[in-house]
Amino acid sequence: MVKRFKQRDIISIRHFNKEELLYILDLTKRMEQMDYTDILKGKVLASLFFEPSTRTRLSFESAMQKLGGIIIGFADSGITSVAKGESLSDSIRIIEGYCDIIVLRHYLEGSAQLAADIAEIPVINAGDGANQHPTQTFLDLYTIQKTKGTLEGLTVGFLGDLKYGRTVHSLAYALAYFGAEMFFISPASLRMPRDCIEELRNRTVTCHESDSLSGISRKLDVIYCTRIQKERFADPVEYEKVRGIYRLNKALLEEMGIKNNLKILHPLPRVDEMDESLDRTNYAVYFHQARNGIPIRKAVLSAVLGAIE
Amino acid sequence: MKHLDVSAIKDGSVIDHIDSKSTLKVADILNIRNEEQVVLVGMNLTSKLLGKKGIIKIGGKIIDQKEANKIALIAPNATVNIIKDYEVVKKFKIAVPDVLEGIVKCFNPNCVSNDINVVPKFNVASKNPIKLQCHYCERFMGTQDIQLI
């Protein structure tokens, strides 16, 4: 398994089978249990963020530093040659000469695959438009496994922007390996893409769609809540129609009826879809989820750079 | 004597068994407007296989693999006959390849292949019905979404 990850591009959750996902989760657990300081000493990570990010960028950079590696890169492409009109392809060709691994976030879908096709060093996709964000999915899976004790046979509700939410598409795809039943709750304009539903059903996932949590909430083991992403709407009028449509709070959920051991995840940032009244409940695991970004990214970096057995 | 609805050509290519409605699309793929030699186009001809079929005969042209791949997406039942001195010297059924490069445009406006100078690439997820998956943005496209380059 170690060989399968060494020098491997991490682009899409579709490229991983169940065994490989479980290997990454197992490696993550080891990262939490042991101190692997300096296993990436002398390695250089280029952190290329063409789109804003807090958690992903900082957790990659923190993970690299905790393992003894060095970081170069930018969080604002406006200060690079891109501002002079340099193409992404040329930027990758130049930057790969300066580092051992590239972490890329870019607003164009497929940009990470393009970078991986060009670069001879490994490329990790840190989000390409509305498409994929595989390390987020790894940490979502890890959080579910850790807080529920298993990934097998869960009933999971996805809530919010299911159309543009790349984390939703990837997590649903990954959970299909574990026999999950899935409820997709969204306004009509932000439903799961038909292709995603078709793909899940072809993989024998039982999928349900609804515009409300009512009548569903008490069946759920996990709610994966997402922000309605203003930046993905071409038309601001369309955004206003769905803005604030879901506002989860403790009283509302308990009134609707939920399992005592329900866990609520959110890739963050949140806007108004989850009230702070949930933060101190046992349901809320989203801050814990964000912290899992460090061990997950430590595991991915070590595996891809071949620093761990 | 057998009566031909469309006259024979001496040398060139004959694309037969085109779904009749797709005949002019195939003609566009072959860029017949700029051909200087004989071009014969027949539509709504009787076909045992398709009911109605289209046929295109182009004098002096041997269709290439890229053109054949494009035609396969529009007219999956088509056959190609290569003609030399009025005789069929090669006959083959057009087949959709497993990978398409530089033939189809991705329908996702936010795909990197539409923004940057990148040759579009698709993996063929299904050949019947046609379903393509973009190598870059991973979106699936059906026949109705296909836009040839």
Side-chain angles (χ1 to χ4, degrees), chain A:
Chain A
M1 188 61 77
V2 176
K3 282 183 186 166
R4 276 201 233 167
F5 278 90
K6 194 173 177 182
Q7 293 296 302
R8 180 173 179 170
D9 298 310
I10 309 289
I11 304 300
S12 164
I13 207 72
R14 283 195 177 91
H15 300 164
F16 296 90
N17 62 31
K18 183 177 178 178
E19 190 191 4
E20 290 167 337
L21 292 176
L22 289 172
Y23 171 75
I24 284 292
L25 302 189
D26 185 53
L27 200 54
T28 304
K29 199 173 170 185
R30 283 168 59 194
M31 288 291 159
E32 286 204 296
Q33 289 167 343
M34 284 181 67
D35 189 359
Y36 285 95
T37 311
D38 286 347
I39 60 169
L40 294 183
K41 193 172 181 182
K43 298 289 184 187
V44 179
L45 178 150
S47 168
L48 314 181
F49 278 72
F50 290 81
E51 256 196 342
S53 165
T54 306
R55 277 154 298 281
T56 305
R57 184 174 65 83
L58 294 181
S59 63
F60 260 117
E61 295 184 1
S62 172
M64 189 66 181
Q65 291 196 17
K66 280 172 183 279
L67 296 174
I70 298 163
I71 298 142
I72 59 171
F74 53 83
D76 174 6
S77 62
I79 59 166
T80 70
S81 289
V82 171
K84 298 177 194 166
E86 184 172 73
S87 70
L88 176 64
S89 306
D90 280 357
S91 297
I92 296 296
R93 281 186 191 102
I94 302 301
I95 294 165
E96 75 161 323
Y98 305 154
C99 59
D100 300 290
I101 188 165
I102 290 172
V103 172
L104 175 71
R105 170 168 290 190
H106 198 280
Y107 48 89
L108 290 173
E109 292 160 30
S111 50
Q113 183 62 60
L114 175 69
D117 289 351
I118 292 167
E120 288 183 14
I121 60 170
V123 173
I124 298 178
N125 184 4
D128 58 332
N131 187 31
Q132 288 275 333
H133 190 358
T135 60
Q136 175 70 42
T137 306
F138 295 159
L139 78 87
D140 292 341
L141 288 173
Y142 186 67
T143 306
I144 294 172
Q145 187 190 49
K146 207 170 157 184
T147 57
K148 297 300 294 180
T150 182
L151 286 170
E152 297 289 344
L154 297 171
T155 301
V156 181
F158 294 88
L159 178 78
D161 175 3
L162 309 186
K163 181 178 179 184
Y164 300 107
R166 61 190 169 203
T167 59
V168 169
H169 308 162
S170 301
L171 181 59
Y173 188 90
L175 282 172
Y177 285 124
F178 301 93
E181 182 176 359
M182 303 185 196
F183 287 84
F184 297 104
I185 306 125
S186 70
S189 61
L190 294 175
R191 288 171 74 193
M192 276 288 273
R194 295 302 87 193
D195 281 344
C196 289
I197 294 284
E198 193 185 323
E199 201 174 357
L200 290 169
R201 287 190 170 139
N202 286 341
R203 296 177 67 206
T204 70
V205 174
T206 306
C207 300
H208 312 270
E209 292 186 275
S210 164
D211 60 3
S212 160
L213 259 178
S214 178
I216 296 170
S217 56
R218 48 182 90 236
K219 297 177 184 171
L220 303 175
D221 298 306
V222 173
I223 293 178
Y224 193 87
C225 185
T226 61
R227 173 176 65 97
I228 293 181
Q229 303 173 88
K230 186 178 182 182
E231 66 274 22
R232 303 279 178 226
F233 284 80
D235 182 352
V237 177
E238 290 302 309
Y239 170 70
E240 288 303 323
K241 282 183 192 168
V242 291
R243 178 185 173 184
I245 195 163
Y246 301 115
R247 292 172 193 262
L248 295 186
N249 64 60
K250 183 172 179 281
L252 176 74
L253 278 175
E254 289 178 343
E255 190 186 314
M256 281 198 294
I258 48 174
K259 290 185 178 176
N260 287 336
N261 59 352
L262 169 76
K263 298 299 174 198
I264 303 174
L265 282 78
H266 191 303
L268 303 177
R270 65 176 160 183
V271 184
D272 50 12
E273 62 277 8
M274 280 186 323
D275 188 75
E276 288 180 6
S277 64
L278 284 166
D279 293 356
R280 289 187 188 160
T281 66
N282 288 331
Y283 313 126
V285 294
Y286 31 87
F287 294 125
H288 182 68
Q289 179 188 1
R291 281 194 293 274
N292 285 337
I294 298 284
I296 274 286
R297 285 167 179 131
K298 280 165 84 174
V300 171
L301 290 170
S302 322
V304 170
L305 288 169
I308 198 155
E309 290 301 319

